Amino acid sequence: MQELRVIMAGGGTGGHLFPGIALAEEILRRKPNASIMFALAGRETERRILGRYSFRQTVLASPRSGGSLAGKALMLPGLGLAILKARRLLREFNPRIVIGLGGYASAPVVWAAGAHRPVFLIEQNAVPGRATRMLFRKARRVFTQFDRTAELLPPWAPCVKAGTPLRKELFTGERSHAAEEFGLSSVKRTILVLGGSQGARGVNEIVAEILPRLQRRRNETQILHQTGDPDYNTMRAIYARTNITAHAAPLIDRMDLAYAIADVVLCRAGATTIAELAALGLPSILVPYPYSLDNEQKENARQLVQRGAAFMVEQSPTAAHQTCENLTRLLDDRHFADEMAAQALSLGHPDATETIVTDIFKTAGAEDRKARLPMHAGGILTK
């Protein structure tokens, strides 16, 4: 039997990498002899995240797309060179399937593969990214998390609303084990603070400002905080000046345990984080990253807020005050927090990984056929 070879193209951040890892693990579960290659951007974050796994890796240094016409013009020569390198990679590795994980690093491989191999795109954000907008014509599927994504693409885009692939390990954590791992109490209410795989200074600044107001809750509340590398020492010093029980780390590797002990989550509104919150049914306060060109995190957060599944606090001079008010309500009113958790759970796609891999296998094995998952006008999956 011929070995199944798959390239996962993209990366740069955990938000792009973790869905690829989830897909890779599911592919290997079904086909243990499969060979999987990650084509990456070459960032330190990628090295740290993938260091736990044995997947093959290569770096294709694709240039970022500039927002201006001049920036885009300067990008083209570098993109052309990256596409040539991607074509050589495709010849040498000869994958049966190419999966674009999003981000600028996915563009060269997807572009080079589109006319010759089955290509599938993962688009977790409500607002489709520039890579997806450029590459969807080459894809057999664009797997999405939100209805909004298909609305913002042309009606002929092959969108299938299946959710974001999540690692199975996220669903296995136990609160007692988490308390032991992080040196926390299994009884106290836990605020989990996340800034994504690279941290988030805006979120860290909000936490620093509200800590004095959380002092009165020190007997019943604790904090687990992923700070990112740049702010780790600063946040650790700030916590040391308080008497609040807290565990701060630059990067939390055991996210299964972090989610298991969390009662409330304060975080950015990255699409993969939102997918995890929904699938696990966790109430949250979302602080969208305010400087992205497409403002995609705000739109991601809006998808949950309009269903009562989260609070949204925009980064502003009043953000700390609003966050403190929202935290107070979630910590004091357990019925309200449980209702928000239930709304989040109703938006989750815990089986997205299995659904997507099943469809990829079927579609890649029947290249001349129409979509196997049912779609209605506009390309969105109907169940």
Side-chain angles (χ1 to χ4, degrees), residues 6 18 23 118 124 128 130 139 154 162 166 183 189-190 194 200 240 247 249 282 290 300 312 327 332 342 358 362 382:
V6 181
F18 287 128
L23 292 173
Q124 309 99 308
R130 283 166 285 174
L166 300 176
R189 302 270 279 167
T190 304
L194 301 172
H247 176 91
L282 286 169
N300 292 342
M312 177 167 61
L327 274 175
D332 289 348
T358 295
K362 288 181 178 179
T382 57

Side-chain angles (χ1 to χ4, degrees), residues 233-277:
N233 289 328
T234 299
M235 291 306 304
R236 188 178 179 186
I238 290 171
Y239 280 118
R241 294 196 295 268
T242 74
N243 55 5
I244 295 174
T245 302
H247 176 91
L251 181 69
I252 298 174
D253 290 321
R254 294 297 304 273
M255 284 305 302
D256 58 322
L257 298 180
Y259 284 134
I261 202 170
D263 295 290
V264 179
V265 183
L266 171 63
C267 59
R268 288 296 195 202
T272 299
T273 298
I274 281 184
E276 293 169 354
L277 296 175

Side-chain angles (χ1 to χ4, degrees), residues 11 39 46 97 140 153 188 227 255 259 281 294 304 308 318 358:
E46 297 167 338
I97 295 167
R140 306 294 174 88
L153 289 170
K188 287 184 178 183
T227 65
M255 284 305 302
Y259 284 134
D294 299 320
L304 268 65
T318 63
T358 295

